[in-house]
Amino acid sequence: MTPEIGHFALALAFALALIQSVVPLIGANRGKLLWMQSARATSIGQLLLVGLAFGALMRSFIISDFTVVNVASNSHSLKPMLYKIAGTWGSHEGSLLLWVLILTLFGAGVSLFGSNIPDPLKARTLAVQAWISTGFLSFMLFTSNPFTRVFPPPADGKDLNPLLQDVGLALHPPFLYLGYVGFSIVFSFAVAALLEGRVDAAWARWVRPWTLAAWMSLTAGIVLGSWWAYYELGWGGWWFWDPVENVSFMPWLLGTALLHSAIVTEKRDAFKSWTILLAILTFSLSLLGTFVVRSGLLTSVHAFAVDPERGLYILFLLALSIGGSLALYAWRAPMMEAGGIFKPISREAGLLVNNLILGAATGTVLFGTLYPLFLEAVTGEKISVGAPFFNATFIPMMLPLVLFMGVGPFLSWKRADLAGVLQRVRFVALASIIATLVLWYLQEGGPLLAHLSILLATWLLLATLREWAMRIRLFDVPISEALRRARNLPRASHGMTMAHAGLAVAMFGFIGSSAWKVEEVVFVAPGSTIEIAGFEVTFEGVERVRGPNYFADRGTLDVTRNGESITTLFPERRYYPIAESSTTESAIRSTLAGDLYASIAEPASEDAELSGAWTLRILYEPFVNFIWLGSTFLILGGALSLSDRRLRVGAPKRTRATSALSTPAE
């Protein structure tokens, strides 16, 4: 009975979405207050109904109800409870239900917490959000029902993909979808502004917290996925430029540009048309990612390779959403007022450069991701565009951005004194050069690009700290006064400092683990010793152990340095009999200086001379933990900014003057 309740709740949510997509919009156009305010009830109702459906599906997984096809295909009675729960969103249907749940969550959030948003704008925004809900609810009900029954039910389930039975992957999709889908509400604000014909500082203030929440969640989702790939896949890598990775990275890049562009719109009433376009394109890339991983175009560990008919449905939704919004933008945007004037040397100009570089970088990743798929569709020829292409194009493009990020916060609005800015950062530049030369000496040379990148990362970190120190007048006033000034700084200022510093710290990890990584792949038998990065690693052998739903061959590695015992590592090779699949569980000795990383593969029994030996992969990854540390700073910086009281109250009052587009209904 529970699955039927969930299915009925989805049908009712679909009906509410249809009402919400029409009634508030008509009310906004005709000035009918009750019609506009109906969006509050329908948006909250949608959230409750979709939440009920999601709870019904989760209960089916928890109790192992194998009469539900989704449960029978993605769960097993012996699976640990955490992964039974995670199985709720581990399939195409379940993840789509999570997608819609988060979609309704953001819509209800605007209804509940957007009390300072004018009724016409809120009504139009929630109506647009309901258009998106209608599309995806219909997709679920007509093509991807998560509650489809099977009779007679199987005795047990097929189990979830073993690679997905991991804490990192249990948390990765919810955060990723909070980011993906979170940009939907920003998209809805943008389309509503075009329909209303008004974009101003107040609009930008209302949009910023939702943009920040989505960006922060997407950052957390990407980092969790990267962390999972690092320790679970057994390759010792944290980013592979996989197409499915890229389709989550592209909205993050444009979302970062959108965050900075919205600041200019709020502070200087400029970049209005550009901010609207970024809001549309950011969510459009989220929709594109949804299409790529659900259309059957890709087969990946974290893609849903489904039948093409579903892909065509999503393609139709994609064309309708992106095409319709861009057509509306082309019609309305040219009539927007230009906004504030600024000089080439100013904070506005710096943020414009930021946006242009991020936009170009997004285009590069988009081309490298879609070109192989397009070529195969047109000619049937299969080509691979991998890490060499992206490293050769994306990285050089991003390095100037890091340079500008160090200078940008020192620039004043409208017009800046370049000589004065250079005066403030000259010691930062000198210290960065000295630090890079010291590293060059300690590493006895190395890749030139790596040292240039380290120079820029050091520059960004020191420049960010210098700008924060100037704000509180550290070393210029007594420490008690500096601390008082720090307490009185807006939280958004602290958040910006933490986020920029976090990117610099993460760069140390990106660079160190890529440029100075040491790797050994060898055949070993019990008693074999490998020397790597000053460590001696002795292979003691393998024993068979049993887990809740798997068997594992667990290796034992004794690690010493200069004759002193350091640690013992236990890499595993797991076999899941129900899923008939194997996974690698790496063993890692982590320090801030670097990771000693070990994984084992199948015995090399084909060669008679190596019979009984194992393939052992040992890596030393310098500074790799700076990636997770810096990413944590990025997320905390976003959270600090989001907690700034100015983003919740005190939005600028709208003037009665209207733009040239139209006169909004009041």
Side-chain angles (χ1 to χ4, degrees):
M1 187 64 183
T2 300
E4 282 70 31
I5 292 174
H7 192 194
F8 185 60
L10 287 181
L12 289 178
F14 176 64
L16 282 182
L18 285 173
I19 294 171
Q20 184 180 322
S21 64
V22 175
V23 174
L25 199 61
I26 296 175
N29 289 336
R30 296 183 179 178
K32 296 181 179 292
L33 184 61
L34 288 178
W35 288 32
M36 288 187 276
Q37 292 179 344
S38 69
R40 176 185 173 90
T42 51
S43 61
I44 295 173
Q46 274 193 75
L47 174 62
L48 294 176
L49 289 168
V50 177
L52 176 63
F54 190 80
L57 183 61
M58 182 177 291
R59 181 180 183 277
S60 298
F61 272 90
I62 290 173
I63 66 174
S64 297
D65 182 0
F66 296 121
T67 65
V68 179
V69 174
N70 197 8
V71 179
S73 300
N74 297 281
S75 190
H76 191 273
S77 57
L78 295 178
K79 194 166 64 172
M81 181 56 68
L82 172 63
Y83 304 128
K84 285 185 179 181
I85 295 172
T88 309
W89 54 80
S91 65
H92 164 74
E93 292 82 4
S95 66
L96 195 62
L97 183 54
L98 176 63
W99 212 102
V100 177
L101 177 64
I102 295 172
L103 189 69
T104 58
L105 177 66
F106 275 88
V110 169
S111 293
L112 293 171
F113 303 111
S115 58
N116 58 347
I117 303 174
D119 287 315
L121 178 62
K122 186 192 293 187
R124 291 184 172 99
T125 299
L126 293 176
V128 175
Q129 190 78 353
W131 297 349
I132 306 170
S133 296
T134 300
F136 279 91
L137 283 167
S138 65
F139 179 51
M140 263 199 303
L141 290 170
F142 301 144
T143 74
S144 304
N145 182 9
F147 299 104
T148 301
R149 293 278 200 172
V150 57
F151 292 104
D156 219 327
K158 296 180 181 178
D159 209 356
L160 183 67
N161 184 341
L163 284 173
L164 306 182
Q165 296 184 37
D166 181 86
V167 174
L169 252 289
L171 299 175
H172 166 65
F175 279 103
L176 198 67
Y177 288 2
L178 277 169
Y180 263 160
V181 187
F183 284 118
S184 67
I185 200 67
V186 184
F187 169 87
S188 297
F189 268 110
V191 174
L194 290 173
L195 291 172
E196 187 179 74
R198 191 168 188 180
V199 179
D200 54 18
W203 177 90
R205 173 68 66 85
W206 294 319
V207 165
R208 273 184 63 199
W210 300 102
T211 307
L212 196 54
W215 177 87
M216 188 175 61
S217 301
L218 186 56
T219 304
I222 291 173
V223 171
L224 282 169
S226 179
W227 178 56
W228 165 82
Y230 174 67
Y231 71 78
E232 176 67 23
L233 297 182
W235 302 340
W238 42 267
W239 192 262
F240 303 98
W241 293 109
D242 179 279
V244 182
E245 291 176 324
N246 293 349
V247 296
S248 65
F249 188 43
M250 290 185 289
W252 186 89
L253 289 171
L254 273 197
T256 304
L258 173 60
L259 268 178
H260 293 84
S261 179
I263 293 173
V264 182
T265 303
E266 178 187 342
K267 302 291 187 183
R268 295 283 299 131
D269 201 31
F271 293 12
K272 291 185 287 189
S273 176
W274 175 244
T275 302
I276 291 288
L277 181 60
L278 283 176
I280 292 172
L281 293 180
T282 301
F283 182 61
S284 297
L285 287 175
S286 297
L287 291 177
L288 178 64
T290 301
F291 168 71
V292 167
V293 300
R294 297 172 190 277
S295 62
L297 289 175
L298 298 174
T299 301
S300 169
V301 168
H302 41 334
F304 302 98
V306 297
D307 60 272
E309 290 184 5
R310 292 177 177 178
L312 287 175
Y313 198 108
I314 298 178
L315 185 61
F316 171 74
L317 293 177
L318 190 72
L320 196 63
S321 301
I322 299 176
S325 58
L326 289 179
L328 179 63
Y329 175 81
W331 173 37
R332 305 283 270 177
M335 293 179 282
M336 289 184 183
E337 296 173 355
I341 305 300
F342 56 89
K343 295 292 184 180
I345 305 298
S346 62
R347 182 168 294 194
E348 293 95 325
L351 291 172
L352 178 60
V353 171
N354 161 296
N355 274 221
L356 292 176
I357 293 176
L358 287 171
T362 305
T364 300
V365 178
L366 181 65
F367 174 79
T369 303
L370 295 187
Y371 178 71
L373 302 177
F374 177 78
L375 185 67
E376 182 180 354
V378 173
T379 67
E381 180 183 355
K382 291 188 177 182
I383 65 168
S384 176
V385 175
F389 167 80
F390 292 106
N391 290 338
T393 56
F394 179 83
I395 294 175
M397 193 179 300
M398 295 303 288
L399 292 181
L401 177 64
V402 178
L403 179 64
F404 282 106
M405 283 179 65
V407 176
F410 291 93
L411 299 173
S412 56
W413 294 106
K414 195 173 181 180
R415 176 186 299 170
D417 176 15
L418 182 59
V421 170
L422 295 178
Q423 176 97 6
R424 297 185 188 101
V425 300
R426 66 186 188 279
F427 291 116
V428 169
L430 180 61
S432 302
I433 293 171
I434 292 172
T436 305
L437 291 175
V438 170
L439 180 64
W440 182 292
Y441 174 77
L442 293 175
Q443 291 292 332
E444 298 178 353
L448 180 61
L449 183 60
H451 286 287
L452 176 61
S453 301
I454 287 288
L455 170 64
L456 290 172
T458 307
W459 152 262
L460 176 58
L461 179 61
L462 295 180
T464 299
L465 296 178
R466 166 67 171 155
E467 192 272 340
W468 180 80
M470 288 180 59
R471 280 176 178 264
I472 65 172
R473 300 190 64 190
L474 190 64
F475 309 125
D476 293 333
V477 297
I479 189 66
S480 58
E481 173 64 14
L483 290 175
R484 186 193 66 79
R485 293 174 67 91
R487 286 194 299 270
N488 291 336
L489 270 183
R491 290 184 183 178
S493 297
H494 292 301
M496 180 196 72
T497 299
M498 184 170 285
H500 284 195
L503 179 60
V505 171
M507 283 183 65
F508 292 130
F510 299 151
I511 300 159
S513 62
S514 299
W516 293 292
K517 177 167 66 175
V518 183
E519 180 176 2
E520 295 283 349
V521 181
V522 294
F523 295 122
V524 292
S528 301
T529 299
I530 303 97
E531 294 186 3
I532 182 170
F535 295 96
E536 298 86 35
V537 182
T538 302
F539 180 68
E540 298 294 340
V542 172
E543 62 174 336
R544 175 61 62 93
V545 296
R546 182 167 186 167
N549 61 336
Y550 63 84
F551 297 97
D553 292 315
R554 176 181 294 170
T556 300
L557 303 173
D558 287 335
V559 181
T560 60
R561 182 160 53 188
N562 300 325
E564 295 185 7
S565 178
I566 300 297
T567 188
T568 302
L569 300 177
F570 300 98
E572 293 183 2
R573 183 73 179 174
R574 293 181 179 176
Y575 176 69
Y576 293 78
I578 303 300
E580 298 183 348
S581 180
S582 298
T583 65
T584 299
E585 298 293 322
S586 59
I588 306 172
R589 188 242 182 192
S590 291
T591 66
L592 201 58
D595 280 3
L596 185 64
Y597 180 106
S599 64
I600 58 173
E602 293 289 345
S605 57
E606 295 81 1
D607 192 322
E609 294 181 1
L610 297 172
S611 180
W614 289 78
T615 303
L616 178 65
R617 181 190 294 266
I618 299 283
L619 303 97
Y620 184 69
E621 303 256 11
F623 304 148
V624 69
N625 289 301
F626 281 85
I627 297 175
W628 327 125
L629 180 63
S631 299
T632 302
F633 285 163
L634 274 170
I635 297 165
L636 290 177
L640 262 179
S641 297
L642 189 60
S643 68
D644 194 317
R645 188 170 181 271
R646 295 177 304 168
L647 295 183
R648 302 192 303 274
V649 298
K653 297 292 184 182
R654 283 195 147 174
T655 61
R656 294 199 173 271
T658 62
S659 69
L661 272 74
S662 64
T663 302
E666 295 292 346

